Amino acid sequence: MSGIPPPNWQPPYVTLETTMGTIVIELYWQHAPRSCCNFAELARRGYYNDCKVHRVIKDFMVQTGDPTGTGRSGASIYGEHFEDEVHLDLKHTGAGIISMANAGPNTNGSQFFITLGPTQWLDGKHSIFGRVASGMTVVQRMGLVETDGNDRPVDDMKITKAYITPIDNA
């Protein structure tokens, strides 16, 4: 992938239209500019369109962002991976926190998760880059779906469309 937006491009919100309803995400540009740019640009490119929610763990998190739907893939706009943006003043204090999913330090790609409750054991390990600004009831419903033994939803659930939120709709 190529074409990284200029540093002054900082849309404040991204909208995820899902099969369960709409979620609007506020981005934390001051704390995680590279994660925000990656997420917003992937949304703008349509990368997340038709992306399955591939992992749901009750009272923990909902994970998506892998276009293969397996949870094993997904590249960033910077290449395969990019470095963490961990800030001690941002914590996984409750439901609705948006963080980069990873496979260890500095392995951020396209996958992200939304917390369903406090997940303090993730502090310092995952880059927090936003929060749910609206649609928390949608996220809560997602967290209650039936899953199989591998935490995959039994019935497909996906992002149908992701896009930069027009300012008048935020």
Side-chain angles (χ1 to χ4, degrees):
M1 286 186 201
S2 63
I4 297 170
N8 63 342
W9 182 75
Q10 295 187 0
Y13 300 95
V14 168
T15 297
L16 304 177
E17 292 180 6
T18 76
T19 52
M20 302 280 287
T22 300
I23 303 164
V24 177
I25 296 171
E26 177 185 353
L27 300 177
Y28 293 165
W29 286 94
Q30 288 188 321
H31 291 92
R34 287 177 57 84
S35 298
C36 289
C37 185
N38 181 64
F39 181 72
E41 178 61 9
L42 289 175
R44 190 175 68 87
R45 292 178 185 179
Y47 188 85
Y48 293 128
N49 295 354
D50 296 317
C51 216
K52 282 186 182 181
V53 173
H54 63 267
R55 190 171 181 213
V56 175
I57 301 176
K58 190 178 189 305
D59 299 322
F60 176 24
M61 62 86 192
V62 172
Q63 187 170 332
T64 185
D66 171 6
T68 70
T70 64
R72 296 187 187 123
S73 185
S76 79
I77 63 170
Y78 310 109
E80 188 177 1
H81 298 124
F82 67 100
E83 67 280 353
D84 294 331
E85 294 177 297
V86 174
H87 290 274
L88 299 178
D89 52 336
L90 292 181
K91 305 215 181 281
H92 297 87
T93 55
I97 304 294
I98 315 297
S99 290
M100 293 302 299
N102 63 40
N106 303 311
T107 59
N108 300 298
S110 63
Q111 293 187 48
F112 63 95
F113 62 89
I114 306 173
T115 60
L116 296 170
T119 55
Q120 62 279 3
W121 61 90
L122 300 179
D123 294 344
K125 297 177 184 168
H126 293 269
S127 302
I128 296 172
F129 67 94
R131 71 173 184 92
V132 173
S134 69
M136 197 58 215
T137 55
V138 174
V139 173
Q140 290 166 337
R141 282 199 329 265
M142 289 174 137
L144 296 174
V145 300
E146 182 182 356
T147 56
D148 66 16
N150 294 315
D151 302 317
R152 296 190 180 284
V154 171
D155 296 315
D156 279 354
M157 181 170 46
K158 65 181 179 176
I159 298 169
T160 54
K161 185 176 181 184
Y163 54 90
I164 304 302
T165 311
I167 294 299
D168 57 327
N169 292 345

